Amino acid sequence: MARTPHKKTARRRWSANVVLTLGLVVLAVVVIGGILVFDRSDDGPAASGETLVPAVAHRLSTAEGDRVTLVEFLDFQCPACASYYANVTRKLEQDYQGRITFVPRNFPLDMHPLAMPAARAAEAAGKQGKYAAMYHALYDGFSEWAVAGQDVNSDVTAAIAKFEQYATTIGLDLARFRADMTSAEVQAVIDEGVRDGRELQVTSTPTFFLNGEKFEPTGQSFGDVDRELRAKIDEALAG
Amino acid sequence: MTPNRRLAWLYVLGGGFGLAAAVALTLEKIAKLRDPAYVPTCSLNPVVSCGSVMDSPQAEAFGFPNPLLGIALFTVVVTTGGAVLAGFAPPRWYRLAMNAGAALGVVFVHWLIVASLYDIHALCPYCLVVWIVTIPVFWYTTLDTWPVLAPLRRVHSVILVLWYLVIVALILVEFWDYWRTLF
């Protein structure tokens, strides 16, 4: 063990070591901060209706005059989104059918390798007027394609086979579905979702906006969150 | 304070934080075993999600939950630090054993880092605490055990910070699309 008296060596070590260390930390902060600042999109946040609900967005429910609009930025392979679907939004969609406008937006995260193919499947189904059916098939079948044991599934071929099976079940023209899934047009719609989400400072999925205002639940359980969201919707409907 | 005592303090504090993290992870694991639907307190968002990490096969590398190892081994670290502060002068064989243990620990931690980043695609805050403390415990034990490394003592924290920065860079790159949504 270095038993040299601390004071003697300390002064020499202090300057070189500490200065270099601090220099490194400052350099790292500047570089990382700089990249983050310059990498983000330049447009400021503008929660305009067009950003939240562009013309290309699909609707799971439409209210007259879009009086109350709920927008959800989602990732089809995100486990939290699937849990929200199972515990909150599936029932909500039924209970408020025709009374609110419910708009799912694409926000596939890179960490989920099948999120983008799934979003393409949903949009491709949308091209044949069956977005809602594919949306339900994807979330109802979450455990069949999105997960592999305890892990996130990354087998694209198997997932696409599953999506094609859903497409057949909901009565899509399979050849057209396949072509649409790989089309630039479908990709552009998804990219627009990602762009709009970033502009609205969506930081995770699912993120909800109720009448343009971000819904930030305080509840601990899905039951609490469900009650909170319904209370806000009811308030908006009454007001 | 001699370097000897400083290392002892590192053992007490680093080992203490590591021990606390291992206990927290064990309690979360028990809660999850009791109720499979339990969402751990440290599952905050898609990236910071100890649920995904705890459920991975790597979380039971030796057939039982890793934090049990942490509880046993960080206790040794804390106790050694306390003993040195109380006047115990570890003989050579004891310091070699500590160094060997810390080396195994640091190898295991880096295997877990790779698993977390590239297989599980999520971070768990308690695990981050374990990563953060294991690296300096290993690094300073090694510097202390081998006189031949004396030249490196003059830049000890530069190397530690470089080591941390490499891991920070890997984390930033892996989850870049997520981090940039935060700004």
Side-chain angles (χ1 to χ4, degrees), chain A residues 50-58 73-74 76 103-108 116 119-127 131 180-181 183-197:
Chain A
E50 191 51 23
T51 314
L52 275 168
V53 190
V56 293
H58 300 280
F73 282 86
L74 58 84
F76 282 106
V103 182
R105 298 292 312 275
N106 294 298
F107 200 72
M116 186 60 89
R120 286 203 211 104
E123 289 297 335
K127 301 275 285 173
Y131 177 89
D180 286 336
M181 257 192 85
S183 73
E185 193 188 337
V186 156
Q187 187 63 50
V189 172
I190 298 168
D191 291 344
E192 186 173 346
V194 174
R195 220 170 27 245
D196 289 345

Side-chain angles (χ1 to χ4, degrees), chain A residues 129-152:
Chain A
K130 292 280 177 78
Y131 177 89
M134 184 58 87
Y135 160 93
H136 287 126
L138 287 170
Y139 275 138
D140 287 332
F142 187 79
S143 61
E144 300 172 344
W145 64 271
V147 286
Q150 306 273 26
D151 217 340
V152 167

Side-chain angles (χ1 to χ4, degrees), chain B:
Chain B
M1 207 180 347
T2 61
N4 189 346
R5 283 181 74 81
R6 277 191 282 173
L7 182 65
W9 274 110
L10 175 67
Y11 281 2
V12 170
L13 295 175
F17 280 114
L19 181 58
V23 168
L25 272 168
T26 306
L27 294 178
E28 293 286 2
K29 182 73 193 174
I30 292 171
K32 192 138 195 200
L33 288 174
R34 275 204 186 127
D35 172 13
Y38 175 76
V39 177
T41 51
C42 41
S43 285
L44 304 177
N45 57 44
V47 170
V48 181
S49 161
C50 36
S52 345
V53 176
M54 282 162 55
D55 291 341
S56 68
Q58 290 93 337
E60 301 188 358
F62 301 99
F64 56 87
N66 298 340
L68 296 180
L69 269 181
I71 290 181
L73 298 179
F74 280 119
T75 303
V76 174
V77 176
V78 175
T79 308
T80 301
V84 170
L85 290 177
F88 170 54
R92 181 88 190 141
W93 68 264
Y94 192 99
R95 285 154 56 191
L96 286 175
M98 281 302 286
N99 200 180
L104 289 177
V106 91
V107 167
F108 187 43
V109 156
H110 285 75
W111 181 76
L112 289 170
I113 293 175
V114 170
S116 185
L117 288 178
Y118 304 110
D119 288 335
I120 305 165
H121 303 288
L123 299 173
C124 110
Y126 298 133
C127 316
L128 286 172
V129 171
V130 171
W131 304 355
I132 290 169
V133 301
T134 304
I135 292 170
V137 164
F138 165 74
W139 173 234
Y140 286 107
T141 303
T142 306
L143 280 186
D144 183 71
T145 309
W146 305 99
V148 66
L149 296 177
L152 291 179
R153 288 186 194 145
R154 290 163 59 181
V155 286
H156 62 95
S157 63
V158 176
I159 293 175
L160 180 66
V161 165
L162 269 178
W163 195 330
Y164 280 148
L165 282 179
V166 168
I167 295 169
V168 167
L170 292 177
I171 292 174
L172 282 172
V173 168
E174 179 59 20
F175 301 115
W176 189 252
D177 283 300
Y178 178 72
W179 304 126
R180 64 197 295 257
T181 61
L182 300 179
F183 285 84

Side-chain angles (χ1 to χ4, degrees), chain A residues 36-60:
Chain A
L36 274 173
V37 167
F38 286 108
D39 192 50
R40 68 171 184 184
S41 73
D42 292 330
D43 350 60
S48 74
E50 191 51 23
T51 314
L52 275 168
V53 190
V56 293
H58 300 280
R59 290 143 177 258
L60 296 172

Side-chain angles (χ1 to χ4, degrees), chain A residues 93-122:
Chain A
E93 180 193 337
Q94 289 165 7
D95 292 351
Y96 289 87
Q97 191 58 244
R99 292 160 60 205
I100 64 168
T101 299
F102 183 14
V103 182
R105 298 292 312 275
N106 294 298
F107 200 72
L109 300 168
D110 281 353
M111 56 190 285
H112 297 133
L114 302 180
M116 186 60 89
R120 286 203 211 104

